[in-house]
């Protein structure tokens, strides 16, 4: 019995040392790793969702766990035995996660390369639902409302508490802080044109201040048909649900 | 020659686990045709049987496989995830309940990632000291049928329910384990901690199997018979900690506190109402 116990202890110790060696290797490059399978799981409910979702899209968004601020402008790489794909991240910390069976089967890793002085406490990822931007930068208020409804229905399907008993109030066009050509105009039925005001920052769902340019369009301003035109393409069009 | 080798292999790798709660892994969504698999080895320190004051430490293999069609194998259970909704998980379940000799309960295989429960330890061929189980009927291995129903109450709290039927030599023992599980969000990078608490409710046949002394056993051993009733068998609490070293390796550790109640707690077989079980295993995910 004694030798059995010793054998077990030694095996466990050796295994732990082996694993530690692997861990230290990754750390020396100052990178953050995450399980691709766990990220895949987060994204898959959107794929499986059967109700209308043609006007909305799903991104994987990285946030700092401590304060839920976007963890943006990072190099993200999908790495596995036979795969190495660079994924571009936008200014809201979002990536379009490719859903690859081969990467899943190889138990791939999502690697975030940190600069040497970066030491965030903890990074986690979330699902981010937004409205699909149009190539011609022209939108109808009724279409935007429909898109917002699709987003709200999806969140309610997931059972997300913060979306229970809420309604669509409007949309927020988010632009890069470096974009100097931001302009959002509305044109109503009687050809009346208005320029919407640009905010230099906005509060996200967790109450953090996000320093990106934002233009809000509220659905309650008018019930008639309104056309919205943006001069440049937004980073994201976020549904505003209250 | 082959028989003892086969017996040992089965004891080590699959074994039959007695009294175990059945086990279901957390739902896993994956591409069609894929699977998510964990295999591990660790150690477990637990009472020889429920209510015993003596404990043993032994090897604990861990196995968990989930397939894209919803079928899973988790520790000593196998089942199928049927729900299409994010808020509810449900489906049928089969569990192996190990036998029990006068040495206690046989070894088991553990789950890695999900709702769990496990049985006690035994090396039948070495432990032949007279104890409270001496002379009682040997309990045969049983295949239990049942199901599970888990509901997400809030983002971090889940209510889990596992029901099994078929334990005991008459195949008529039934058990319901109902828990509340709280997942601590963002505890630390690569650490996942879940706290759980719940009750186990059994029918009379189940309690009689594990805690009773029948009239025949009484005549045979000279001990006073003890006829049980059904009801709440125990209340329990546990802490589950998973530490992921990489996408492939993790250390999964658990501590479980069980307090016997009702008819089971008054059994002459019970040396102590409180039991603690601790286990840790290194698992490989692939």
């Amino acid at each position: 019995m004694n030798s059995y116990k010793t054998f077990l202890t030694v095996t466990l110790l050796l295994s732990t040392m082996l694993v530690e060696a692997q861990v230290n290797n990754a750390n020396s490059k100052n990178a953050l790793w995450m399980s691709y399978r766990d990220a895949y799981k987060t994204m898959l409910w959107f794929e499986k969702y059967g109700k209308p979702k043609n006007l909305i899209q799903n991104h994987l968004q990285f946030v700092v766990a401590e304060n839920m601020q976007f963890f943006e402008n990072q190099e993200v790489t999908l790495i596995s035995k036979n795969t190495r794909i660079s994924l571009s991240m936008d200014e809201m910390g979002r990536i379009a996660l490719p859903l690859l069976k081969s990467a899943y089967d190889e138990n791939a890793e999502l690697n975030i390369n940190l600069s040497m002085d970066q030491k965030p406490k903890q990074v986690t990822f979330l699902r981010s639902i937004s409205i699909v931007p149009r190539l011609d930068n022209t939108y109808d208020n009724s279409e935007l409302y429909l898109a917002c409804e699709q987003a709200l229905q999806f969140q309610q399907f997931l059972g997300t508490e913060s979306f229970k008993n809420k309604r669509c109030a409007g949309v927020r066009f988010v632009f890069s802080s470096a974009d100097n050509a931001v302009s959002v105009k509305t044109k109503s039925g009687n050809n009346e044109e208005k320029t919407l005001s640009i905010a230099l920052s906005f509060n996200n769902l967790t109450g953090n201040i996000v320093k990106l340019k934002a233009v809000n369009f509220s659905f309650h301003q008018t019930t008639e048909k309104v056309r919205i035109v943006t001069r440049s393409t937004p980073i994201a069009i976020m549904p505003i649900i209250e | 020659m082959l028989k003892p080798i086969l017996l040992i292999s089965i004891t080590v790798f699959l074994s039959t686990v007695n009294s175990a709660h059945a086990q279901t892994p957390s739902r896993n969504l994956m591409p069609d045709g894929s699977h998510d698999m964990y295999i591990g080895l660790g150690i477990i320190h637990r009472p020889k049987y429920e209510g015993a004051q003596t404990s043993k430490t032994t090897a604990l293999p861990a196995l968990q496989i989930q397939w894209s069609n919803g079928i899973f194998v988790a520790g000593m259970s196998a089942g199928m995830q049927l729900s299409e909704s994010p808020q509810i998980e449900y489906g049928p379940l089969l569990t192996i309940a190990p036998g029990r000799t006068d040495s206690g309960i046989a070894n088991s295989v553990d789950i890695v990632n999900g709702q769990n429960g496990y049985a006690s330890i035994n090396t039948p061929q070495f432990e032949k000291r007279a104890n409270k189980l001496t002379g009682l009927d040997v309990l045969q291995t049983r295949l239990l049928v049942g199901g599970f129903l888990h509901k997400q109450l809030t983002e971090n709290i889940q209510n889990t329910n596992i029901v099994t039927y078929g334990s005991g030599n008459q195949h008529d023992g039934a058990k319901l384990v109902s828990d509340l599980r709280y997942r601590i969000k963002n505890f630390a990078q690569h650490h996942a901690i879940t706290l759980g608490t719940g009750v186990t409710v059994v029918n009379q046949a189940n309690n009689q199997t594990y805690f009773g002394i029948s009239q025949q056993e009484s005549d045979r051993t000279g001990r006073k018979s003890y006829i049980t009733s059904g009801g709440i068998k125990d209340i329990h609490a546990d802490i589950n900690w998973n530490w992921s070293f990489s996408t492939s390796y993790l250390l999964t550790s658990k501590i479980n506190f069980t307090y016997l109640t009702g008819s089971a707690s008054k059994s002459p077989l019970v040396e102590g109402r409180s039991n603690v079980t601790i286990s840790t295993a290194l698992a490989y995910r692939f």
Side-chain angles (χ1 to χ4, degrees):
Chain A
M1 211 53 210
N2 250 340
S3 53
Y4 184 62
K5 263 194 205 171
T6 317
F7 166 77
L8 263 176
T9 319
V10 170
T11 314
L12 270 175
L13 255 161
L14 281 174
S15 318
T16 316
M17 279 164 58
L18 176 72
V19 166
E20 282 274 42
Q22 255 188 319
V23 169
N24 283 330
N25 212 14
N27 279 345
S28 64
K29 295 178 201 140
N30 204 23
L32 202 59
W33 68 266
M34 286 168 162
S35 163
Y36 175 73
R37 283 185 180 177
D38 293 349
Y40 191 102
K41 183 176 167 178
T42 305
M43 302 295 278
L44 204 61
W45 276 117
F46 186 77
E47 299 304 310
K48 282 179 167 272
Y49 180 62
K51 293 194 182 154
K53 60 184 185 208
N54 53 315
L55 300 173
I56 54 176
Q57 58 186 2
N58 190 21
H59 284 89
L60 192 72
Q61 184 171 44
F62 292 89
V63 295
V64 177
E66 199 173 23
N67 50 23
M68 300 302 268
Q69 275 191 327
F70 305 147
F71 192 55
E72 78 276 22
N73 297 323
Q74 307 296 327
E75 276 174 50
V76 182
T77 320
L78 175 61
I79 303 173
S80 70
K81 202 170 72 171
N82 296 317
T83 314
R84 195 177 185 93
I85 304 174
S86 233
L87 302 170
S88 64
M89 185 188 267
D90 67 15
E91 283 170 75
M92 287 177 71
R94 307 180 313 167
I95 60 167
L97 187 77
L99 298 180
L100 304 169
K101 179 166 158 51
S102 56
Y104 187 95
D105 292 341
E106 287 166 9
N107 197 8
E109 178 183 293
L110 278 176
N111 190 287
I112 304 175
N113 216 9
L114 304 172
S115 61
M116 286 318 279
D117 54 342
Q118 243 180 326
K119 282 250 180 285
K121 187 179 178 190
Q122 194 188 343
V123 175
T124 185
F125 46 70
L126 311 168
R127 193 186 289 114
S128 172
I129 305 294
S130 59
I131 295 170
V132 178
R134 288 179 63 97
L135 292 171
D136 60 3
N137 286 334
T138 308
Y139 306 85
D140 276 327
N141 61 336
S142 54
E143 200 180 74
L144 287 176
Y145 183 78
L146 197 60
C148 185
E149 275 289 304
Q150 284 188 358
L152 178 59
Q153 298 238 348
F154 177 65
Q155 294 288 11
Q156 289 174 343
F157 162 77
L158 290 176
T160 318
E161 271 159 82
S162 46
F163 289 93
K164 284 187 181 148
N165 304 319
K166 298 276 170 75
R167 356 188 303 284
C168 277
V171 299
R172 174 179 290 127
F173 295 89
V174 180
F175 299 90
S176 167
S177 47
D179 188 344
N180 292 319
V182 174
S183 163
V184 180
K185 288 189 160 79
T186 59
K187 203 167 186 178
S188 43
N190 54 3
N191 275 336
E192 193 189 312
E193 230 186 58
K194 254 193 339 184
T195 306
L196 296 179
S197 58
I198 304 167
L200 293 176
S201 66
F202 64 93
N203 284 351
N204 71 1
L205 286 171
T206 52
N208 290 310
I209 298 174
V210 179
K211 293 205 176 79
L212 293 171
K213 290 180 181 165
V215 177
N216 288 1
F217 175 79
S218 166
F219 295 131
H220 308 303
Q221 281 165 0
T222 174
T223 47
E224 60 176 64
K225 217 168 165 60
V226 175
R227 179 152 283 196
I228 303 111
V229 182
T230 68
R231 194 192 296 166
S232 48
T233 309
I235 300 172
I237 307 172
M238 308 304 297
I240 301 175
I241 294 167
E242 284 161 10
Chain B
M1 184 59 201
L2 267 175
K3 222 177 166 188
I5 297 171
L6 195 65
L7 186 67
I8 292 165
S9 325
I10 293 171
T11 313
V12 168
F13 290 112
L14 276 186
S15 278
T16 44
V17 177
N18 181 359
S19 90
H21 305 311
Q23 306 164 5
T24 65
S26 330
R27 169 152 45 188
N28 206 341
L29 301 158
M30 61 183 81
D32 284 340
S34 291
H35 65 259
D36 196 5
M37 192 157 161
Y38 298 82
I39 194 159
L41 185 63
I43 49 174
I44 182 167
H45 179 82
R46 56 186 301 151
K48 287 179 66 181
Y49 61 87
E50 277 196 280
Q53 285 292 64
T54 48
S55 292
K56 278 193 94 130
T57 306
T58 193
L60 178 74
L63 175 69
Q64 184 174 311
I65 316 170
Q66 287 166 285
W67 284 278
S68 58
N69 59 10
I71 295 178
F72 59 84
V73 167
M76 303 302 293
S77 305
M80 187 163 178
Q81 188 58 270
L82 295 177
S83 169
E84 296 289 302
S85 158
Q87 297 303 295
I88 298 187
E89 296 173 42
Y90 65 88
L93 196 66
L94 288 175
T95 303
I96 295 176
R100 186 188 71 187
T101 67
D102 55 6
S103 312
I105 295 169
N107 293 339
S108 72
V109 178
D110 198 14
I111 190 177
V112 178
N113 215 343
Q115 296 78 12
N116 63 73
Y118 27 65
S120 25
I121 312 150
N122 168 39
T123 47
Q125 55 266 52
F126 301 122
E127 289 282 335
K128 281 291 180 184
R129 286 195 287 273
N131 60 31
K132 288 193 191 284
L133 298 178
T134 306
L136 297 185
D137 288 345
V138 168
L139 297 178
Q140 305 300 322
T141 307
R142 286 287 172 257
L143 181 67
L144 311 181
V145 296
F148 61 95
L149 173 66
H150 308 325
K151 185 153 177 26
Q152 202 71 35
L153 301 178
T154 71
E155 204 183 327
N156 295 339
I157 301 176
Q158 189 187 37
N159 167 236
T160 65
N161 300 284
I162 298 175
V163 73
T164 54
Y165 180 80
S167 61
N169 286 342
Q170 263 71 53
H171 302 268
D172 57 357
K175 176 164 73 178
L176 163 68
V177 183
S178 186
D179 291 347
L180 278 178
R181 313 213 79 81
Y182 175 72
R183 187 172 51 105
I184 297 180
K185 244 188 149 186
N186 299 324
F187 176 77
Q189 197 83 47
H190 305 141
H191 291 260
I193 299 191
T194 307
L195 310 176
T197 186
V199 295
T200 305
V201 182
V202 296
N203 66 356
Q204 193 275 333
N206 192 295
N207 254 351
Q208 188 64 33
T209 295
Y210 296 110
F211 297 98
I213 298 176
S214 66
Q215 194 52 56
Q216 289 156 324
E217 286 170 323
S218 169
D219 294 339
R220 189 166 66 229
T221 61
R223 297 164 74 176
K224 193 159 169 231
S225 69
Y226 181 68
I227 307 302
T228 63
S229 60
I232 300 177
K233 174 180 82 68
D234 70 58
I235 52 175
H236 50 263
D238 49 69
I239 304 173
N240 250 348
W241 169 37
N242 278 3
W243 178 7
S244 303
F245 301 129
S246 69
T247 53
S248 302
Y249 288 96
L250 71 145
L251 191 71
T252 173
S253 310
K254 306 177 235 275
I255 182 164
N256 172 285
F257 306 93
T258 301
Y259 184 73
L260 292 173
T261 59
S263 185
S265 65
K266 300 189 189 91
S267 162
L269 302 180
V270 170
E271 295 168 338
R273 293 173 73 167
S274 310
N275 283 156
V276 178
T277 302
I278 306 175
S279 71
T280 186
L282 182 68
Y284 177 66
R285 185 181 192 182
F286 61 103

